[in-house]
Amino acid sequence: MLRIETEAEQAFRREVRDWYEAELPEDLRDLTFRPEPAQALGWYRRLSQKGWIAPHWPKAFGGMGASPVEQVILMEEAARIGAPELPTQGLNQIGPILQRFGTPEQQARHLPAILNGDVIWCQGYSEPGAGSDLASLRTRGRVEGEEIVITGHKIWTTWGHHADWIYALVRTNEDLPGRQGITFILIDLKSPGITRRPIRTLADECEFCEVFFDAVRVPRANVVGSLDGGWNIVTALLDEERIQLGAPSHALRALERVRRMARALGPALGESGRLKVAEAETEVAALTAAFLQTLTEAGHGSTPDASSLKILSTETTQRVLDIAQELAGAAAALKSPASVGGTVIDFSELFLQSRRLSIYGGTNEIQRGLIADRVLKLPKGKRP
């Protein structure tokens, strides 16, 4: 560990570790996939009751108001014990956005439900033909008095078939070009005219789905920010998402896989293996330091570090899992985790899932373009 923890931080770590050991059910430990709501929400609500479900939220909105180091301690201890990945669209994306841009009525209605685990949220951005280029979206919203009538099609909607609400981008003004004329709106997925169709992936999971809107009527009061002025909301949410994607939580889970594999190998690890483990430890320590620095200097607002942090986090996770594959040797061909000497070891499933980290949330190629544009101010011909 590169940082030195205070006595208070060490005491908090012991509290977290002891509580996780006592409270996390065995059937939720060491999963390599995100469990479905029926399995996961009990643990989500247990964390909520403890006050730890939203460490990065201010206390004024029901969060923990945790320091950056306390947030990292929670991630580190969750990785150590093998805690499951939980639905975070509400916690990490729409929740912080409503805190910044929502009306008091929107905050009162939605924030407590996110904290309590009563409502699952999903994101309605990507469309067929409009992924990284969101400004080309074709879902339309026609204003009729105090309602907006929405027609269109969203795709790659994570957990959309399980969700209760969706925050979506719709074009509400055809006369304005590009990023103008787009509205950010909250939609109850029980509304008439909505059809959801799960997408089965190569991993034989239905984590994504398509969402179809056929003249869906949504109250105009569900608009976040101003009508036709949703792009500022989009930018703020994407920065928030990239900061959270830049958190070391995935890399810490990957590092735990490397550590377990090293312990299982014992003397067979050898000098080259020990060097690989040291490399993984160093990579994750550097990522954690970068995340702590970003939170300390910029908080959760818009920051040019968001894109670089997202790149660093996702590619660090992939490199650490590459090391796990190398240590696994011939066992790297095994997809499913196995118990070795009483220790659960994931040989390749997390490695396979990690390939998508550098694609979602805006591909890393897009992030490098944003860095060239926003941070380095490079002319278009000089960009990487």
Side-chain angles (χ1 to χ4, degrees), residues 124-127 137 139 152-155 157 168-169 209-211 213:
Y125 281 13
S126 295
E127 301 180 5
L137 63 88
T139 296
H153 175 195
K154 299 293 182 178
I155 198 169
T157 308
L169 299 179
C209 86
E210 296 177 273
V211 183
F213 301 90

Side-chain angles (χ1 to χ4, degrees), residues 156-208:
W156 308 122
T157 308
T158 303
W159 265 27
H161 46 310
H162 297 305
D164 304 292
W165 281 73
I166 185 171
Y167 51 94
L169 299 179
V170 301
R171 182 165 293 283
T172 47
N173 194 325
E174 299 284 355
D175 297 326
L176 295 176
R179 299 172 179 178
Q180 303 176 53
I182 291 174
T183 296
F184 188 105
I185 191 164
L186 314 176
I187 305 171
D188 186 342
L189 285 170
K190 295 188 295 295
S191 304
I194 293 178
T195 302
R196 292 179 268 185
R197 187 167 66 196
I199 301 171
R200 186 167 294 279
T201 69
L202 287 174
D204 200 28
E205 298 173 343
C206 291
E207 188 175 5
F208 308 113

Side-chain angles (χ1 to χ4, degrees), residues 138-140 150-154 211-215:
R138 291 179 291 181
T139 296
R140 299 295 189 257
I150 298 174
T151 300
H153 175 195
K154 299 293 182 178
V211 183
F212 300 88
F213 301 90
D214 183 9

Side-chain angles (χ1 to χ4, degrees), residues 237-250:
L237 188 144
L238 289 175
D239 278 341
E240 184 72 35
E241 179 183 29
R242 287 162 189 159
I243 289 174
Q244 295 304 322
L245 288 174
S249 51
H250 286 296

Side-chain angles (χ1 to χ4, degrees), residues 24-31 33 35 39 82 84:
L24 180 61
E26 289 293 337
D27 63 349
L28 287 179
R29 301 187 187 196
D30 301 316
L31 301 178
F33 55 89
Q39 188 178 7

Side-chain angles (χ1 to χ4, degrees), residues 280-301:
E281 296 272 3
T282 304
E283 292 261 9
V284 177
L287 167 62
T288 302
F291 179 72
L292 287 169
Q293 181 177 5
T294 299
L295 291 196
T296 301
E297 292 181 353
H300 293 281

